[in-house]
Amino acid sequence: MRRILLLALAVTLVLAGCTEKTKEGGGGKGNGAADDKRPAEVAGIPTATGTHKQKLEVGTPGHREYLLHVPPKLTKGKWRNGKPAKPLPLVLALHGGLSNMNGFRALTGFDKVSNDKGFLVAYPNGFMTTWNAGSCCGAAKLGNIKDVDFLSKLIDKLTGAGLADAKRVYVAGFSNGAGMAYRMACERPDKVAGIGVVEGALVTPCEPGRPVSAMIFHGTADRSVPFNGGGRRDFNDSRGFPPVSYAVDFWRKTGRLPEMRRHVRAEGGAECSSTGKGTRGAEVTFCKIVGGTHSWPAGASRTLWDFFSAHPQG
C-alpha cells in the first residue's frame, strides 16, 4: 500500500512540473501565454482603455503635457513580448489658441471615433495655450518655443514604444493648432502621413521635400482667419492671413496633383472637392462650409478619420 502511495505522489509531481513548464512557455504554442499578456504600461505609457494624462520631458526646464486616449482595440488586442502584435494609427489633435488639451478633447469628440475605429489619440498642450506655428501665435511665437521638436518627440515616444504605427501618424488641428499641423507637415514630413486643418492658415516657410496628404476645412464666414485672406495675423503682427486657396494650391502642387474635380458632400453640409490620389499616394481634399464661422464643424472628426485611414505614408 505504501508503495502505491509513493508511486501516486511521484506521478503527481511529474504532472505538476509539466503544467508549470506550459505556463512558462516551455510546453505551450508559439511564445507561450506569458508572452501574450498585456502589461499595465509600456515605456511608462498606460495601456488600459481610457484617457490618461501624461508628461513628456523635452530637454528644457519643466515638461510638456498631453492626454493619451487608448481605445479598446489596443487593450483587448493581441500582444507579443510586452508589445501590441499590431501597432495602431495615431492622431495628434492640436487645440486652437487660448484653449487646451481638455477643451479640445471635449470639442472634437475624437475619443468616440477612436473607440469605434481603433486608433490612438494624443491631445498635447500648447505653451501658455498657444502653438508656435511660424508667424503666429502669441506666447509660443514670442518665446520661440520648439513645438515641432516637442510633437516630434511625442510621436517618437509612442511609435518607439511599439504602440503607434510610424507609417500612420496624422496631425489634426483647429485655428492656431491647424497652423501648427501645417508646420509639422512642412518641417517633419517624414513623421506625418497626413494632416487635417480646420479654420487655419499656412503662415510658415514650407519646403517639405515630399508630398503630405491634407484635408482642409474652412468656413466662408470665418472672421478670425478669413476665407479669402486678411484679418490680423497676431497681436503684434498686422499682416493679414493668406487665403485658404493658398494652402490648398501649395499642397496640391507639392504632390504634383491635378485640379480639384471630384465633388463629395461631407457631414455637416460641407462641400468637398478632391484631387484624388497621386502617383505617390498623396491626396488633397478641400471642404468649404458655406456660411461656416470660426468653429469646429459637426462631423469633422469622423470625416477626418475616414480621410486619414485611406492615406498611410508611402
Side-chain angles (χ1 to χ4, degrees), residues 289-314:
I289 307 167
V290 177
T293 58
H294 195 71
S295 59
W296 187 265
S301 299
R302 191 168 295 274
T303 302
L304 284 169
W305 171 249
D306 289 343
F307 179 82
F308 291 158
S309 65
H311 297 87
Q313 188 169 338

Side-chain angles (χ1 to χ4, degrees), residues 45-90:
I45 305 166
T47 62
T49 298
T51 303
H52 312 275
K53 185 176 181 180
Q54 299 288 285
K55 295 179 180 180
L56 183 67
E57 300 298 331
V58 291
T60 59
H63 60 266
R64 300 296 293 266
E65 293 183 339
Y66 66 99
L67 299 175
L68 179 67
H69 183 74
V70 177
K73 184 172 182 178
L74 183 76
T75 305
K76 298 178 181 179
K78 293 182 179 180
W79 289 72
R80 294 286 184 272
N81 299 318
K83 292 186 178 182
K86 187 175 182 181
L88 299 186
L90 169 65

Side-chain angles (χ1 to χ4, degrees), residues 10 25 41 50 83 106 112 117 126 129 145 166 172 201 209 214 218 224 250 253 270:
E41 294 184 346
K83 292 186 178 182
K112 179 172 176 22
K117 300 296 184 178
T129 72
I145 301 302
H218 216 105
S224 298
F250 176 85
K253 291 175 182 177

